Amino acid sequence: MSTRQIVELLPRPEGRLAYTVTGTGPLVVAVPGMGDLRSTYRDLVPPLVEAGYRVAVLDLRGHGDSDTTFRTHGDVATGQDLLALVEHLGGPAVLVGNSMGAGAAAWAAAEAPDAVAGLVLLGPFLRDPATGAAKAAASRLLYRVALARPWGAAAWAGFYSMLTKGRRAPWHADHVAAIRASMREPGRLRSFRDLALTLTHAPVEARLPEVDAPAIAFMGSLDPDFADQGAELAWIQEVVGAQGHLVPGVGHYPQHQAPDVVVPATLTFLAGLRADAQGWNARG
């Protein structure tokens, strides 16, 4: 983040989750995708706080400042963590998620609709890629090898940069260096590898018909995780009724690759929720 914050810890059954809270007003809770840090939202948090929102950003299990004692990972576990933090801070909340974090947010909206006032989905994985069993097995083998010590942290840093296709934040190199340094801390690469080897978005896709929360989705036109970014965004718009933004010239991380697009559109979306008579409260 742009200013130093106090890192707080949320107790969960298998460990503690690190999060920060800034500002006052209606609650917004953000979570990164796998292999990322809270600082992925450094360009989004300040304008939301300035606009009158209380913004919490959570590290995934085993990532950042969260404990490495967790043995359960994935979209459902992360969705449960989001709901636990919303309850702890006093919801309801708008949930912001990137990549698998978006899937976790959508699952949480289906699981506890009264706790989720809206969804901001960034480079969202709401279903597994349409690949055959052989390709899926090859991907798992690649993760098993690439994320092993001693080269795993460097391998992921390189892959993260590959996913950041197109224009980049001026602080991209510092962010990637921080990710790499974090992955070198004891237990973090193991946690990330466990997540990568078991991750499936099938439980999210199964719950999408239950998602009622208003949503906005951002998809990078160069996102290498999707064969047809426009088609995936159109599917997300149809299945959860989201507003859709295909962001030109960026890859998998619109929140820091295109804040000039994501920030104003998100502020407009939140203002609409706030103005609605059924919008979320202003505690904080």
Side-chain angles (χ1 to χ4, degrees):
M1 304 299 172
S2 58
T3 58
R4 187 168 181 80
Q5 296 173 305
I6 297 173
V7 177
E8 302 187 58
L9 296 172
L10 177 71
R12 298 289 289 141
E14 296 178 349
R16 300 169 303 167
L17 296 169
Y19 68 96
T20 55
V21 185
T22 315
T24 59
L27 180 63
V28 178
V29 175
V31 66
M34 74 174 195
D36 210 347
L37 303 172
R38 296 190 316 274
S39 50
T40 193
Y41 291 112
R42 63 184 285 177
D43 287 336
L44 183 60
V45 172
L48 264 60
V49 170
E50 185 177 348
Y53 299 99
R54 180 172 48 132
V55 185
V57 187
L58 179 72
D59 271 325
L60 287 173
R61 297 176 173 210
H63 290 57
D65 293 308
S66 291
D67 287 345
T68 60
T69 53
F70 292 94
R71 290 296 178 265
T72 309
H73 302 275
D75 291 352
V76 173
T78 303
Q80 292 167 339
D81 293 338
L82 286 169
L83 292 175
L85 184 57
V86 171
E87 181 179 8
H88 176 69
L89 294 177
V94 169
L95 302 182
V96 180
N98 173 226
S99 193
M100 68 157 279
W107 181 91
E111 180 72 7
D114 290 342
V116 180
L119 296 169
V120 179
L121 310 172
L122 298 147
F125 268 115
L126 304 189
R127 60 179 174 178
D128 288 331
T131 57
K135 189 171 181 180
S139 295
R140 285 193 295 271
L141 178 61
L142 177 63
Y143 276 130
R144 188 178 298 278
V145 174
L147 298 180
R149 296 182 66 185
W151 54 77
W156 175 248
F159 189 60
Y160 188 96
S161 285
M162 188 193 78
L163 291 173
T164 317
K165 195 172 181 180
R167 60 179 168 130
R168 293 174 172 175
W171 45 269
H172 170 81
D174 291 339
H175 186 63
V176 173
I179 290 171
R180 183 172 178 174
S182 178
M183 286 291 173
R184 286 175 168 165
E185 295 175 2
R188 300 216 177 278
L189 189 60
R190 185 209 68 229
S191 292
F192 178 37
R193 193 163 173 249
D194 289 348
L195 166 61
L197 289 173
T198 59
L199 183 61
T200 172
H201 309 296
V204 175
E205 185 177 7
R207 301 293 301 271
L208 293 180
E210 303 171 61
V211 175
D212 246 352
I216 185 170
F218 299 89
M219 180 73 73
S221 67
L222 304 178
D223 192 334
D225 269 330
F226 301 97
D228 188 331
Q229 299 86 358
E232 189 69 12
L233 180 61
W235 175 77
I236 291 169
Q237 290 177 267
E238 179 181 359
V239 75
V240 297
Q243 301 176 28
H245 294 264
L246 186 63
V247 187
V250 304
H252 197 53
Y253 305 102
Q255 67 272 17
H256 60 69
Q257 291 187 262
D260 56 316
V261 176
V262 171
V263 169
T266 298
L267 287 172
T268 299
F269 174 71
L270 296 180
L273 296 180
R274 199 170 188 176
D276 192 321
Q278 302 302 314
W280 81 112
N281 64 36
R283 280 186 287 176

